[in-house]
Amino acid sequence: MSSTPAHRAGQGRVSAVRRARAGHEIVEVGNGLISLVISPALGGRLLSAVRDGREFLHRNPELLDEALNARDPRAVGPHDGPMSAWHNWGGDKTWPAPQGWSGPEEWAGPPDPVLDSGAYACEVDVADDGSRADITVTSGDDPRTGLRLTRRITLASGRCDFALRLSADNVSPRTVRWALWNVTQLPGHPAERPGDGVWLGTSGAGAPVTDLVAGTGRPRVEQHGDVLHVPAQDVVGKVGFPDAVGWIAHVGPAGTWTYRFPVDPDAPYPDDGSRAEVWMEHPLDAPLEHLGGLRPRHRVVECEALGPYRELAPGDTTTLDGTVSLGPRLGAVTSVGAHAWWSEPLTCAGGKVTGVCVPSGGGSAAVLLRDMAGRVLRRLPVGECGAGAPVVLDTRLRADPGSVRVEVCCGRDVLGTVAVLPG
């Protein structure tokens, strides 16, 4: 195994600071490996996610300058109207699904004066020992949907990932039915490398990709076994993935962004059963009248994760937990686990363990051989791995009688498992 030394230094305490910017306040939180910026006043958005000085999120340069000041502070605040009136600040935000304008059971935004453009309350909680920070933003009560949305971002020390917990509370006196919907805007770009674009895992059950919005066309989707690839391309449109297993990734010049979230295979989902969706846009010379006058001015890729429909009685809550990681640009993403994502899949054949992964945390790495009962038959230390640094496995491992599974660990984190193949 080999591991690059990047990120072994600087894995310090987590800090969080409130700062004033023109038109709004921001909260900066960082751990020496990654840094995040949240704007409570701009719909509770995560506006910035930086690793190695590289920005992973799209921000609208016409609305925000490099320091995150609003270019026109009068644009900050609740607004409504057609899509052409939307102040799309960018970043990562949470909405209710389904989206639509045909009745009260659909969310008629953006724009939206409460959940998208309204000010969110903000609480900052940093552990005394600097081991973690929780930033919680909470919307006002929305009379149209009956919901109050909460987003909690948790950043721990020594890691290149952060947790994102979404909640929707029914604050109305009526029963409502909604799904949580997280939307992350990332910078689009013309195709530069074969692995650029969006990757997501599927169950292989054969559920078709769903055409959801056709602005100028349908994003092209390529199949690589159970993994789908939406290459970087100039198109305005949206597709949904009913067969998604709970991870989606974007690869671009900044690096690799991944988002892991749970799915409920027995529950209904919005948008023809879509558990994940991808929207793409690029600059157009004229507005798209059939999309409310929307006129894209930038290349943007939206990676969207949905929760299942939940019927909420007054006072009920639904939640959706996710984990976001920021890593290097290695090309294809073949899987995303709880503590690492894989660029080349973990395999064990011919007495050799191979694969390339990026762990979210650092520590001592080892390859373990386990039997049917989970007992460790053999443990092979293979060196140190750094948080957010690629780990290249090319390890000889003699099989023991009764061995059925190989497990790769870094510290206490399990990075991946694979069945032992004969040979």
Side-chain angles (χ1 to χ4, degrees), residues 9 19 24 26 50 54 88 102 149 213 247 257 316 343 377:
R19 301 190 189 279
H24 65 126
I26 62 173
V50 173
R54 298 190 298 271
N88 179 12
S102 62
L149 298 183
V213 179
W247 68 263
W257 168 98
D316 283 354
S343 177
L377 302 177

Side-chain angles (χ1 to χ4, degrees), residues 24-27 37-48 57 76-77 89-95 112-123 135-140 149-153 162 164-166 182-183:
H24 65 126
E25 179 190 61
I26 62 173
V27 179
V37 179
I38 299 99
S39 174
L42 300 181
R45 280 168 168 76
L46 175 66
L47 280 182
S48 175
L57 300 182
V76 177
W89 302 95
D92 176 286
K93 61 269 186 180
T94 304
W95 294 333
D112 168 277
V114 179
L115 303 179
D116 177 69
S117 61
Y120 281 46
C122 180
E123 296 181 6
I135 314 299
T136 305
V137 292
T138 305
S139 77
L149 298 183
T150 300
R151 291 162 49 86
R152 186 181 72 198
I153 293 172
F162 60 93
L164 179 60
R165 164 162 269 213
L166 316 177
N182 203 69
V183 177

Side-chain angles (χ1 to χ4, degrees), residues 266-406:
D266 299 319
Y269 279 75
D271 297 344
D272 297 326
S274 298
R275 301 169 182 172
E277 299 174 355
V278 173
W279 162 269
M280 289 182 157
E281 65 180 61
H282 68 102
L284 296 179
D285 294 332
L288 298 169
E289 298 302 335
H290 65 292
L291 296 183
L294 175 70
R295 181 188 172 188
R297 299 180 183 274
H298 310 281
R299 286 189 173 92
V300 179
V301 177
E302 286 186 359
C303 291
E304 307 175 5
L306 292 97
Y309 272 122
R310 297 299 188 204
E311 190 168 281
L312 304 174
D316 283 354
T317 301
T318 183
T319 61
L320 184 67
D321 289 312
T323 303
V324 177
S325 73
L326 308 180
R329 186 187 193 184
L330 301 182
V333 178
T334 61
S335 66
V336 178
H339 304 293
W341 57 270
W342 291 80
S343 177
E344 296 180 13
L346 176 63
T347 60
C348 177
K352 181 181 285 189
V353 178
T354 60
V356 178
C357 72
V358 177
S360 296
S364 299
V367 174
L368 280 61
L369 199 62
R370 294 185 181 272
D371 64 11
M372 188 76 72
R375 292 184 293 262
V376 177
L377 302 177
R378 183 179 296 271
R379 179 186 180 90
L380 180 64
V382 288
E384 294 292 313
C385 60
V391 173
V392 180
L393 290 165
D394 188 10
T395 306
R396 289 286 178 185
L397 184 65
R398 180 175 60 84
D400 285 272
S403 60
V404 297
R405 188 171 86 247
V406 166

Side-chain angles (χ1 to χ4, degrees), residues 31-208:
N31 64 1
L33 294 172
I34 63 175
S35 59
L36 311 172
V37 179
I38 299 99
S39 174
L42 300 181
R45 280 168 168 76
L46 175 66
L47 280 182
S48 175
V50 173
R51 176 183 182 270
D52 286 344
R54 298 190 298 271
E55 176 62 69
F56 279 73
L57 300 182
H58 165 76
R59 292 196 303 273
N60 190 333
E62 297 170 3
L63 297 176
L64 293 164
D65 66 17
E66 288 296 319
L68 302 181
N69 294 293
R71 295 191 184 277
D72 181 0
R74 295 171 299 178
V76 177
H79 63 280
D80 208 343
M83 187 75 76
S84 59
W86 182 30
H87 298 163
N88 179 12
W89 302 95
D92 176 286
K93 61 269 186 180
T94 304
W95 294 333
Q99 180 185 43
W101 293 264
S102 62
E105 72 284 353
E106 297 176 331
W107 180 65
D112 168 277
V114 179
L115 303 179
D116 177 69
S117 61
Y120 281 46
C122 180
E123 296 181 6
V124 178
D125 183 14
V126 181
D128 292 339
D129 61 359
S131 61
R132 60 182 281 163
D134 293 300
I135 314 299
T136 305
V137 292
T138 305
S139 77
D141 296 351
D142 178 35
R144 294 199 291 191
T145 62
L147 298 178
R148 177 193 300 147
L149 298 183
T150 300
R151 291 162 49 86
R152 186 181 72 198
I153 293 172
T154 300
L155 179 64
S157 63
R159 297 189 65 83
C160 285
D161 62 2
F162 60 93
L164 179 60
R165 164 162 269 213
L166 316 177
S167 302
D169 298 296
N170 181 4
V171 294
S172 75
R174 65 188 189 277
T175 296
V176 298
R177 184 174 183 257
W178 295 103
L180 283 163
W181 176 24
N182 203 69
V183 177
T184 306
Q185 291 194 335
L186 303 125
H189 62 283
E192 297 176 357
R193 300 185 184 181
D196 286 353
V198 180
W199 297 84
L200 70 156
T202 70
S203 67

